[in-house]
Structure formats: structure tokens, C-alpha cells
């Protein structure tokens, strides 16, 4: 009430260090915050990557902090945006506005004639503002919501978790979140809709039988995200869901935390456990299926090149500097990040790529560098998801962009480093476990004389003896070991 600003929660980059002085409004973005002072100037604090906190001079009535950019309404009702503009999100249109909202790579506003308009990235239709008269609008990561002049809420864009299924009734305000939305009704009660994980208000999930749950996921998740792929076109979800047996269970396992858990039980059976409140959380479901894809045996039905493509994603993230083991920070290790990246890529939530870039220690100071990173990472994901060895692998591990010229010394050395990840079981001494599940089985051969040798099948042909994975190769004197599955691995 004294017009001072106060922030709480994560304070990375000083995003919660509100400056002194008197404010009329404040807005919290991804890594920065902005506010309008009582003298109508704008102040921003926190991360200034891409200039998102470089508020321009002049007088403003409103401000909105988005993902990597910010926008404000000046006292003459024009809109000005600053910061990242990779998708045109900072190219505010002309005209007079009452409201502006900065989202993820796009922005929306309400003009003084009460029409809603959006600009920037239009994936999922997030920028396709409907016709009609609005009093306010809220732009989020992949969907938007607005309150019409008749107090009805309308949402548009992604609706994976029901976040755009606005309830009926009269509202005065609305806010679009990542995968859910909330609004204030005219009777001052709050209603929320969309994803319910982490305590967000429920979409009405009820306990169901495992068979019904699996059927629902197959229809509404697996088939939905493969809808643009023909029956003969490779897709990581198809191979994961219909390949190695994957079971679904309704409930918890071993006092699991969070929404879901993947239980890898070897090449014969694996299981996903989902808590009741997360049955319809597409992100959680895709994350757990991605564990199955990246960790289980014969995902591509023994197709050597497609399996190499799958392992290329592990190698790519390792090359970027993503931690192999957990560094004790919130982003975790490569085993979790690879599943989250695959899941969010399939959802179309490409902003997670920025998160991956940020944890590698890279700087966002150079916009061109970040744009190139986005394109390179999407190219790798596009290839891996359809079973193609990405160009990055050829550039990194071959001498003339053919699999016949793979540098096996470099490849095996990097795989041995990756084997330190807790999701990749090893023998004592951090030796790479050479089971059929793992890429080394493509290259370790037992020749006619019983010698263990590295061999490139694209250059030298198939191994003389199949199934060499009962052996490890830490040294020339290594003895045969039992490579049977030892303990199931429970993965969050």
C-alpha cells in the first residue's frame, strides 16, 4: 500500500531484488522483472540477456515482462517492446493500445477499440487472436486468454492439458500460465483450468484402471503427436510405444515423488507409473516415454543406424557440456534433461532449448549465437525423433560425412564418459556396460580367434561373432563377465 515493490522466490541474476522507490504496477518474467514507477518511468531488474531489462525512456502506464523480451504501453497508448526479437515478438504494431502482454516469442495486446491482436511466433495458433471485443489479454508460453467485454473468457493456442478450455461464467481478469490458466470471477472467486500437476487446480482427473489409462494415452498422446506421420514413417513415439513392451500403472511405486516414474526392467518389460493427478499431463507422459526411448533395448527393432541416431542425442548434449552426473542444481543431469528435452520438443515447447543452453555456461550476449544454437539443436532433435543420424554426428565423429569413416577412438572415449551417468549401469571402475541396449554393442566384436576387437560395421561388415556384449573391454586382459540384468532402475 506504500507503493514499494517486493519480490520473493528464486533470485538468480537478481530477478527478485526489487529496487527502491514507488511503483504502480510490476510484472515478473522468466529471468527478469519490470515495473512502472509512480512517475511513469519503467525500471527492470534481473537478467539482461538480449537487453530484456534495458527499459527505454519515456512515460508508461503498463509493462509486461515475458520470456526473453518486455513490452510496455506508453502514456500516448503506443506499445514499445525491447529485448529478444527472434520471432518478431518485439515488433509491436502501430496504433493505440490499452493493454499489452509479453509471452514466449510472441506478444498480445488490446487496442483502444477493444480488439485483440498478437504478433510474433504463431506455433499452435497462440497468436491467432479471435475477433470480438476484449478488455484484457494474457500471453503465455503456448496459449493466450482474454476477457471479453461481456465478461466471458476466451482462450486460444495450445490446449494439450485443457489450458485453453475456459469455463463458463463471468470474469473480470484472467492469467495464462505455462500449462494452466486462472481467472477471477465477478463474484471474486478464482477458477483455474488445465494441468493439475504440482497442485495446480484440477481438470477433474479420477482414478482409472491401468488398461483404460494406457488406452487413453495411446489415443490422446501417442497417436495425437504422430498425427502428421504416416504408418510407415519412423517416429520415436511409435517405436517406444509399440516396440519394447511398456506397461502403465495407476498409482505410486516405491514412494515415488512427483507425477511419474519410469521403471526399466530390462529388454523384456518396462513400466511407467503415473500418479492420479497427473494422468492427463502430456508433458509428464512424454517425459517418461522418452526415458523408455533413450534407455531401453532394441528401440528401433535392431536397426543399427536408427539406434546410432538415438545415441547421437546423448553425445550431442554431452558435447554441449550438459552435466553427466547431477551437479546439485535444479536442472539435474543429462539423463533427466534428455527426457525433458525430447518431451518438450514433441510438445512444441522449444523454449526448453534455451534452458539447456543456459546450463552449459554459454552466454546469451550474442543473439546470433543463440539463434544458431536453436537451429542446431532442433536439427538434431528432428533427426533423432525420426531415426536419422543427425548431421552433427557426421561433423563430429567422421572424416568425410560417412558412417564408414567414424573415428571409433573418439566415439568410444566419449561413450565411456557418458557411462558415468547414473541411468547408464556400469561395472565397477566406471567401465562401459556393453549390453545389447547400448551402442558399444554395434562396434565391439569377437573375431574367429576369440579376440575382442573394435570394428566399424559400416566399413568392415558385421561382427564375426554375434552378441559380443557378454564382454567388457577395459583392458586387454579383461575376462568374460556376466552381463545379465542385475537390478531394475527406477527413474524419475
Amino acid at each position: 500500500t506504500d507503493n514499494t515493490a517486493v519480490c520473493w522466490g528464486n533470485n538468480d541474476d537478481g530477478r527478485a531484488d526489487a529496487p527502491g522507490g514507488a511503483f504502480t504496477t510490476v510484472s515478473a518474467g522468466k529471468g527478469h522483472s519490470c515495473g512502472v514507477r509512480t512517475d511513469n518511468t519503467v525500471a527492470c531488474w534481473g537478467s539482461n540477456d538480449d537487453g530484456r531489462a534495458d527499459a527505454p525512456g519515456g512515460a508508461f502506464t503498463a509493462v509486461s515482462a515475458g520470456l526473453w523480451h518486455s513490452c510496455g504501453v506508453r502514456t500516448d497508448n503506443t506499445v514499445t517492446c525491447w529485448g529478444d526479437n527472434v520471432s518478431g515478438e518485439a515488433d509491436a504494431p502501430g496504433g493505440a493500445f490499452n493493454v499489452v502482454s509479453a509471452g514466449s516469442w510472441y506478444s498480445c495486446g488490446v487496442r483502444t477499440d477493444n480488439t485483440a491482436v498478437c504478433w510474433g511466433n504463431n506455433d499452435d495458433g497462440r497468436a491467432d487472436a479471435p475477433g470480438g471485443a476484449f478488455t484484457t489479454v494474457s500471453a503465455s508460453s503456448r496459449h493466450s486468454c482474454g476477457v471479453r467485454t461481456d465478461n466471458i473468457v476466451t482462450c486460444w493456442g495450445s490446449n494439450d492439458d485443457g489450458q485453453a478450455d475456459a469455463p463458463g461464467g463471468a470474469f473480470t481478469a484472467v492469467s495464462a500460465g505455462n500449462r494452466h490458466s486462472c481467472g477471477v470471477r465477478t463474484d471474486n472467486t478464482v477458477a483455474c483450468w488445465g494441468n493439475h500437476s504440482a497442485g495446480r487446480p484440477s481438470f477433474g482427473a479420477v482414478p482409472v484402471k491401468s488398461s483404460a489409462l494406457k488406452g487413453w494415452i495411446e489415443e490422446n498422446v501417442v497417436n495425437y503427436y504422430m498425427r502428421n506421420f504416416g504408418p510407415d514413417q519412423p517416429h520415436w513415439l511409435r517405436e517406444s510405444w509399440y516396440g519394447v513392451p511398456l506397461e502403465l500403472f495407476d498409482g505410486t511405486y516405491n514412494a515415488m515423488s512427483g507425477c511419474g516414474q519410469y521403471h526399466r526392467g530390462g529388454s523384456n518389460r518396462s513400466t511407467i507409473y503415473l500418479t492420479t493427478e497427473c494422468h492427463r499431463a502430456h508433458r509428464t507422459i512424454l517425459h517418461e516415454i522418452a526415458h523408455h526411448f533413450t534407455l531401453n533395448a532394441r528401440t528401433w527393432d535392431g536397426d543399427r543406424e536408427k539406434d546410432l541416431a538415438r545415441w547421437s542425442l546423448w553425445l550431442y548434449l554431452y558435447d554441449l557440456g550438459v552435466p553427466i552426473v547431477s551437479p546439485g542444481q535444479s536442472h539435474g543431469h543429462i539423463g533427466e534433461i534428455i527426457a525433458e528435452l525430447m518431451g518438450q520438443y514433441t510438445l512444441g515447447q522449444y523454449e526448453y532449448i534455451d534452458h539447456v543452453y543456459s546450463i552449459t555456461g554459454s552466454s546469451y550476449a550474442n543473439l546470433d549465437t543463440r539463434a544458431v544454437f536453436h537451429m542446431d539443436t532442433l536439427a538434431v532433435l528432428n533427426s533423432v525423433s525420426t531415426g536419422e543420424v543427425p548431421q552433427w554426428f557426421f561433423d563430429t565423429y567422421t572424416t568425410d560425412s560417412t558412417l564408414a569413416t567414424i573415428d571409433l577412438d573418439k566415439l568410444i572415449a566419449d561413450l565411456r564418459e557418458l557411462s558415468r551417468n547414473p541411468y547408464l549401469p556400469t561395472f565397477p571402475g566406471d567401465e562401459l556396460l556393453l549390453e545389447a541396449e547400448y551402442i558399444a554393442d554395434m562396434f565391439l566384436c569377437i573375431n574367429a580367434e576369440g579376440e575382442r576387437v573394435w570394428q566399424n560395421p559400416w566399413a568392415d561388415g558385421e561382427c564375426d561373432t554375434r552378441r559380443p556384449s557378454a564382454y567388457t573391454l577395459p583392458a586387454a586382459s579383461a575376462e568374460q563377465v556376466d552381463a545379465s540384468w542385475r537390478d531394475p532402475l527406477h527413474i524419475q
Side-chain angles (χ1 to χ4, degrees), residues 5-20 23 25-37 41-49 51-56 62-72 82 102:
V6 60
C7 302
W8 55 97
N10 185 296
N11 194 31
D12 289 348
D13 304 308
R15 67 190 71 177
D17 285 335
F23 288 80
T25 187
V26 68
S27 176
K30 178 180 174 63
H32 73 298
S33 308
C34 293
V36 178
R37 295 184 183 276
T41 59
V42 168
C44 298
W45 55 98
S47 173
N48 194 31
D49 294 336
R52 73 187 85 168
D54 282 337
V63 70
S64 176
L67 180 68
W68 302 111
H69 75 295
S70 309
C71 293
W82 56 97

Side-chain angles (χ1 to χ4, degrees), residues 56-409:
F60 289 79
T61 59
V63 70
S64 176
L67 180 68
W68 302 111
H69 75 295
S70 309
C71 293
V73 179
R74 294 186 181 273
T75 51
D76 65 359
N77 293 111
T78 59
V79 168
T80 297
C81 299
W82 56 97
D84 184 21
N85 194 32
V86 69
S87 298
E89 61 266 40
D91 289 334
F97 287 79
N98 289 326
V99 176
V100 70
S101 179
S104 296
W105 293 304
Y106 79 112
S107 309
C108 293
V110 177
R111 297 185 183 273
T112 52
D113 65 359
N114 294 118
T115 57
V117 60
C118 300
W119 57 95
N121 184 292
N122 193 31
D123 289 347
D124 305 303
R126 69 188 73 176
D128 283 337
F134 288 81
T135 60
T136 189
V137 69
S138 176
S140 178
S141 59
R142 296 172 61 228
H143 78 293
S144 313
C145 293
V147 179
R148 296 185 180 272
T149 51
D150 61 1
N151 297 115
I152 300 300
V153 168
T154 298
C155 299
W156 57 95
S158 174
N159 195 32
D160 293 337
D161 295 298
Q163 65 265 43
D165 286 335
F171 289 79
T172 59
V174 69
S175 179
N178 184 24
R179 293 184 295 140
H180 75 297
S181 309
C182 292
V184 179
R185 296 186 182 274
T186 51
D187 64 1
N188 294 319
T189 59
V190 171
C192 296
W193 54 96
N195 184 272
H196 184 235
S197 62
R200 290 180 285 268
S202 176
F203 46 75
V206 295
V208 295
K209 293 182 178 180
S210 298
S211 57
L213 174 61
K214 188 170 184 178
W216 186 92
I217 292 175
E218 181 170 337
E219 177 182 356
N220 294 278
V221 180
V222 178
N223 291 336
Y224 175 79
Y225 292 106
M226 294 193 304
R227 64 191 183 279
N228 295 322
F229 290 78
D232 298 325
Q233 289 180 281
H235 189 283
W236 78 271
L237 270 176
R238 177 180 289 117
E239 304 304 323
S240 303
W241 192 256
Y242 298 108
V244 177
L246 180 63
E247 297 183 8
L248 269 293
F249 280 97
D250 169 33
T252 60
Y253 187 85
N254 283 359
M256 57 182 276
S257 60
C259 281
Q261 187 178 77
Y262 172 66
H263 169 206
R264 186 183 66 203
S267 59
N268 294 324
R269 180 180 64 86
S270 292
T271 307
I272 289 177
Y273 295 85
L274 293 171
T275 56
T276 299
E277 65 271 18
C278 298
H279 280 166
R280 298 182 182 225
H282 287 211
R283 177 178 168 184
T284 297
I285 293 166
L286 290 170
H287 178 104
E288 302 305 333
I289 298 176
H291 276 314
H292 188 59
F293 172 72
T294 60
L295 289 170
N296 217 303
R298 302 183 182 89
T299 303
W300 293 104
D301 195 25
D303 189 313
R304 192 185 299 273
E305 191 163 329
K306 287 183 171 65
D307 244 1
L308 182 61
R310 176 170 61 99
W311 275 94
S312 294
L313 186 55
W314 283 86
L315 293 161
Y316 175 71
L317 294 178
Y318 164 65
D319 186 60
L320 291 177
V322 173
I324 295 175
V325 296
S326 178
Q329 300 173 6
S330 60
H331 54 252
H333 56 71
I334 191 172
E336 283 298 319
I337 291 169
I338 195 172
E340 189 68 9
L341 184 62
M342 283 293 297
Q344 294 214 27
Y345 160 78
T346 304
L347 284 169
Q349 295 180 348
Y350 302 152
E351 55 265 34
Y352 190 75
I353 296 175
D354 285 309
H355 172 70
V356 174
Y357 191 22
S358 69
I359 66 177
T360 66
S362 302
S363 171
Y364 286 98
N366 187 329
L367 177 61
D368 292 336
T369 299
R370 185 162 70 84
V372 170
F373 177 83
H374 264 273
M375 290 188 293
D376 289 348
T377 303
L378 282 174
V380 171
L381 288 166
N382 287 335
S383 296
V384 170
S385 66
T386 55
E388 296 180 358
V389 178
Q391 184 59 45
W392 170 87
F393 181 90
F394 291 106
D395 294 341
T396 305
Y397 291 103
T398 71
T399 58
D400 66 358
S401 293
T402 64
L403 294 178
T405 61
I406 292 175
D407 183 344
L408 283 183
D409 289 339

